[in-house]
């Protein structure tokens, strides 16, 4: 990436609603955001990565009441589980924000005051349908009928008729600016989400109820004793809180507007209609991009839910199969932006076939051969053949162009597929070159083949770092590749010279990806 393009990069996940423990969908979004953040760091950019928990609202208040404790007690416990998940899944956030924190209350009240100063807030009476589970208001025309005749939201969640005094935000005032924003290239992806939101706005926007009086678990409306902010006003402001808003901090100047809000497809409306409108009202820049990814579905394509009993604990998966294996599977299996499915069998198949047999075995037999037949010394290069140069060209195209381009475009599955194709090219090369057969007949050619493979394996390890950082790091340690060379740019510029110090010794490698077996309970249930 040219120096001019190495601008700071700010990426956020949606902050998770902690009314229950994390499930695999939460892990999917966190891992995807981490892959993007790590890729941008490898490109030489200064990255700010924020995640956290959204702890206010009626849903949390009711859940706590059911359990006979305070909302704060519930929030403290559940937020801790999300923090633990991020730590164990190697998610490299810079700030884990909690909306109960004082700096967040201050930021939320500051953006509220800016919207009031713009004349965009007024007091009225709200009567309409509200989904506690979605923390969302719905028009009658959006509702559908459930099997028992009850009214449901577009997300199949129950709605209830709500009547109370409320502050309203003049959302209708921003209809045309929002349409212009939604139609601007790159703001909302994938295209299917963009088209949905354009259609929604074109139907006409109604002013939005932005405060509640029926409960008090939330951020207080400035100057009011009985109103708390609608949870989405508070929740969305977290992206500013983490940069120090409302103060004019260095982070605000450097990182806002956000480069990417990575969110689930079910909350696109809040991030691409309500949030930009709040920001426009507050005279703040809107984010550069919002990407609404799909859902990770259970076996058979069912959406995971606590009521169906099919929620998957990501930490149990990581414990069973390994953190990097889980990260690789989620990025490899699902076309990013679309829904995808999960199964233990698929994890085992991907790990054994691609990580183990294709990549791990390539590294194992190459380094093992060098340790045994060269006493661990780095092989010398005695002139490259057309076959060597063809492999270098394949790797150079993949790592200098194709893989970074796919990551940059958030085509995460495609980036992993391109990397795997480069791995397959190396396997085809070693099978054709057969260094084991050259050991006695042409030892100089054997050394050149091994040197070629050494360089290419180092390149492959660097390229896949965003997805499997721990395993890639272990392999680079085995290769003796210094930290300063573990970037896309460095690995490309050093490809014709040894990447390790000349006196570095290759030791007999340990397997990076031991073969996985299905847990007994999975096999029994098959």
């Amino acid at each position: 990436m040219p120096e001019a393009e190495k601008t700071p990069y700010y990426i956020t996940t949606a902050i998770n609603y902690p009314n229950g423990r994390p499930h695999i969908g939460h892990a999917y979004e966190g891992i995807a955001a981490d892959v993007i953040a790590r890729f941008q760091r490898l490109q030489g950019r200064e990255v700010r990565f924020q995640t956290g928990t959204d702890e206010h609202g009626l849903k949390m208040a009711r859940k706590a009441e059911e359990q006979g404790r305070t909302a704060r007690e519930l929030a403290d416990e559940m937020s801790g589980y999300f923090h633990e998940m991020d730590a164990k899944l190697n998610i490299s956030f810079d700030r884990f924000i909690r909306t109960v924190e004082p700096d967040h209350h201050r930021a939320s009240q500051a953006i509220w005051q800016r919207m009031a100063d713009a004349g965009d807030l007024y007091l009225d009476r709200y009567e309409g349908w509200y989904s506690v589970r979605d923390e969302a208001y719905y028009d009658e025309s959006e509702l559908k009928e459930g099997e028992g005749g009850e009214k449901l939201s577009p997300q199949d969640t129950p709605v209830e008729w709500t009547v109370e005094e409320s502050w309203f935000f003049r959302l209708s005032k921003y209809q045309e600016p929002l349409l212009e924003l939604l139609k601007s290239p790159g703001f909302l992806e994938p295209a299917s989400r963009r088209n949905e939101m354009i259609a929604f706005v074109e139907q006409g926007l109604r002013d939005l109820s932005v405060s509640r009086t029926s409960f008090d678990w939330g951020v207080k409306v400035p100057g009011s004793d009985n109103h708390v902010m609608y949870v989405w006003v508070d929740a969305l402001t977290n992206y500013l809180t983490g940069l120090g808003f409302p103060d004019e901090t260095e982070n605000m100047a450097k990182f806002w507007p956000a480069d990417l809000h990575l969110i689930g497809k079910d909350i696109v409306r809040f991030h691409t209609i309500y949030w930009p409108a709040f920001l426009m009202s507050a005279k703040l820049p809107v984010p550069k991009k919002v990407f609404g990814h799909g859902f990770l579905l259970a076996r058979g394509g069912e959406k995971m839910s606590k009521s169906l009993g099919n929620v998957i604990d990501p930490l149990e998966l990581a414990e069973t199969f390994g953190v990097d294996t889980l990260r690789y599977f989620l990025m490899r299996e699902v076309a990013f932006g679309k829904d995808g499915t999960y199964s233990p069998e698929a994890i085992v198949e991907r790990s054994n076939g691609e990580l183990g047999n294709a990549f791990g075995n390539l590294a194992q037999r190459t380094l093992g051969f060098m340790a045994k037949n060269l006493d661990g010394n780095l092989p010398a290069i005695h002139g490259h053949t057309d076959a060597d140069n063809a492999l270098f060209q394949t790797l150079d195209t993949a790592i200098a162009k194709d893989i970074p381009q796919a990551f940059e475009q958030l085509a995460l599955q495609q980036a992993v597929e391109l990397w795997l194709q480069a791995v397959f090219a190396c396997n085809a090369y070693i099978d054709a070159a057969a260094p084991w057969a050259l050991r006695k007949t042409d030892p100089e050619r054997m050394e050149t083949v091994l040197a070629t493979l050494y360089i290419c394996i180092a390149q492959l390890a660097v390229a896949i770092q965003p997805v499997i950082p721990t395993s890639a790091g272990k392999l680079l340690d085995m290769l003796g590749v210094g930290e300063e060379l573990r970037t896309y740019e460095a690995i490309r510029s050093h490809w014709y010279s040894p990447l390790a110090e000349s006196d570095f010794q290759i030791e007999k490698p340990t397997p990076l990806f031991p073969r996985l077996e299905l847990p007994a309970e999975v096999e029994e249930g098959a």
Side-chain angles (χ1 to χ4, degrees):
M1 179 178 289
E3 286 299 325
E5 294 180 27
K6 291 183 180 178
T7 54
Y9 188 87
Y10 182 32
I11 178 173
T12 71
T13 67
I15 50 175
N16 297 303
Y17 206 77
N19 65 324
R21 289 176 179 248
H23 58 65
I24 191 66
H26 297 120
Y28 176 59
E29 180 171 298
I31 289 168
D34 185 62
V35 168
I36 297 163
R38 287 177 183 273
F39 163 73
Q40 292 294 347
R41 292 189 196 110
L42 288 178
Q43 290 287 80
R45 298 176 80 169
E46 182 182 359
V47 173
R48 177 85 178 174
F49 174 18
Q50 182 165 303
T51 187
T53 45
D54 169 19
E55 300 171 40
H56 293 135
L58 183 56
K59 184 162 50 174
M60 285 290 284
R62 286 189 179 174
K63 185 76 170 180
E65 188 178 357
E66 287 170 14
Q67 296 179 359
R69 54 177 168 164
T70 67
R72 181 59 191 256
E73 287 170 340
L74 174 64
D76 286 346
E77 179 192 348
M78 291 300 167
S79 181
Y81 295 132
F82 282 87
H83 196 284
E84 178 190 20
M85 176 192 75
D86 287 345
K88 290 191 173 179
L89 296 180
N90 206 0
I91 293 171
S92 59
F93 58 84
D94 297 291
R95 169 84 187 260
F96 185 98
I97 196 165
R98 295 186 60 191
T99 55
V100 295
E101 295 166 348
D103 65 338
H104 179 68
H105 282 241
R106 178 170 170 258
S108 300
Q109 290 172 335
I111 199 169
W112 180 281
Q113 192 60 55
R114 286 193 182 204
M115 293 191 292
D117 292 344
D120 288 337
L121 297 175
Y122 62 92
L123 198 59
D124 205 338
R125 178 181 175 85
Y126 177 76
E127 294 189 24
W129 295 104
Y130 189 74
S131 165
V132 177
R133 197 178 301 175
D134 297 345
E135 295 284 12
Y137 302 97
Y138 292 106
D139 186 80
E140 182 86 35
S141 63
E142 296 181 85
L143 303 181
K144 51 189 176 182
E145 191 172 298
E147 292 180 2
E150 73 278 15
K151 291 183 180 293
L152 299 176
S153 77
Q155 309 295 339
D156 293 319
T157 58
V159 294
E160 54 190 58
W161 186 256
T162 301
V163 180
E164 62 184 313
E165 181 184 70
S166 176
W167 284 94
F168 280 77
F169 173 73
R170 298 185 193 278
L171 185 63
S172 56
K173 172 180 171 181
Y174 294 94
Q175 179 163 327
E176 289 308 314
L178 287 170
L179 264 180
E180 184 179 345
L181 175 65
L182 287 164
K183 290 178 179 179
S184 60
F187 171 69
L188 173 55
E189 294 180 353
S192 57
R193 318 271 187 260
R194 181 167 62 249
N195 294 336
E196 287 171 11
M197 290 304 104
I198 289 171
F200 180 82
V201 175
E202 285 179 338
Q203 289 174 2
L205 292 177
R206 302 167 70 177
D207 290 351
L208 180 67
S209 172
V210 288
S211 75
R212 304 296 300 274
T213 59
S214 54
F215 63 96
D216 62 1
W217 177 239
V219 177
K220 295 288 187 185
V221 169
S224 174
D225 292 330
N226 62 334
H227 283 259
V228 295
M229 292 181 195
Y230 172 41
V231 68
W232 277 102
V233 178
D234 147 26
L236 291 161
T237 304
N238 93 87
Y239 304 128
L240 295 172
T241 306
L243 300 179
F245 179 82
D247 299 331
E248 295 180 4
T249 64
E250 181 182 345
N251 278 339
M252 274 297 293
K254 186 185 293 184
F255 293 109
W256 192 261
D259 291 87
L260 176 63
H261 289 324
L262 187 64
I263 61 169
K265 65 179 182 179
D266 54 334
I267 55 173
V268 168
R269 182 191 302 183
F270 305 100
H271 283 79
T272 60
I273 296 175
Y274 300 169
W275 180 225
F278 297 160
L279 291 167
M280 290 173 186
S281 176
K283 308 296 189 291
L284 290 166
V286 300
K288 297 175 186 176
K289 183 187 288 291
V290 177
F291 189 96
H293 63 76
F295 291 140
L296 196 62
L297 305 172
R299 192 193 304 268
E302 259 184 341
K303 187 176 177 182
M304 294 186 195
S305 75
K306 297 183 186 72
S307 58
L308 292 174
N310 60 357
V311 173
I312 303 297
D313 183 344
L315 297 187
E316 286 183 10
L317 284 179
E319 182 70 27
T320 301
F321 300 114
V323 171
D324 275 358
T325 296
L326 178 62
R327 289 171 62 103
Y328 179 85
F329 170 79
L330 292 176
M331 296 302 98
R332 172 76 174 102
E333 186 76 6
V334 182
F336 201 56
K338 297 183 179 179
D339 291 346
T341 57
Y342 143 86
S343 73
E345 294 89 346
I347 294 178
V348 169
E349 184 177 343
R350 290 286 188 201
S351 180
N352 289 344
E354 297 175 2
L355 286 179
N357 291 346
F359 185 50
N361 190 45
L362 171 69
Q364 182 82 13
R365 58 178 174 165
T366 301
L367 298 187
F369 192 86
M370 288 164 62
K372 181 179 180 181
N373 294 285
L374 297 178
D375 297 323
N377 295 316
L378 292 175
I381 296 172
H382 303 280
H384 288 301
T385 65
D386 288 346
D388 304 339
N389 290 326
L391 183 64
F392 282 138
Q393 186 60 55
T394 296
L395 269 288
D396 194 44
T397 299
I399 292 163
K401 178 187 170 188
D402 295 345
I403 295 172
Q405 190 175 71
F407 275 130
E408 196 71 58
Q409 294 172 351
L410 308 184
L412 306 185
Q413 184 192 49
Q414 183 184 3
V416 177
E417 170 66 25
L418 289 163
W419 172 82
L420 191 61
Q421 292 303 319
V423 172
F424 291 155
C426 289
N427 278 298
Y429 170 86
I430 192 174
D431 288 342
W436 48 87
L438 295 169
R439 185 165 58 90
K440 292 182 179 178
T441 60
D442 193 345
E444 287 194 351
R445 177 61 190 152
M446 176 198 74
E447 284 200 62
T448 300
V449 167
L450 294 173
T452 300
L453 287 165
Y454 169 90
I455 292 166
C456 291
I457 290 168
Q459 290 181 305
L460 290 169
V462 167
I464 200 63
Q465 281 179 109
V467 181
I468 51 171
T470 301
S471 302
K474 285 180 182 176
L475 178 54
L476 290 165
D477 288 343
M478 292 181 202
L479 292 164
V481 176
E483 292 286 343
E484 73 283 0
L485 295 177
R486 299 182 185 189
T487 68
Y488 284 82
E489 187 174 334
I491 207 73
R492 292 196 298 265
S493 61
H494 287 75
W495 71 327
Y496 275 120
S497 60
L499 293 159
E501 296 296 329
S502 57
D503 59 352
F504 181 80
Q505 295 285 304
I506 301 288
E507 297 181 2
K508 183 179 179 181
T510 54
L512 286 170
F513 309 102
R515 184 168 181 81
L516 294 179
E517 302 291 342
L518 275 176
E521 61 270 20
V522 175
E523 289 189 331
E524 288 168 6

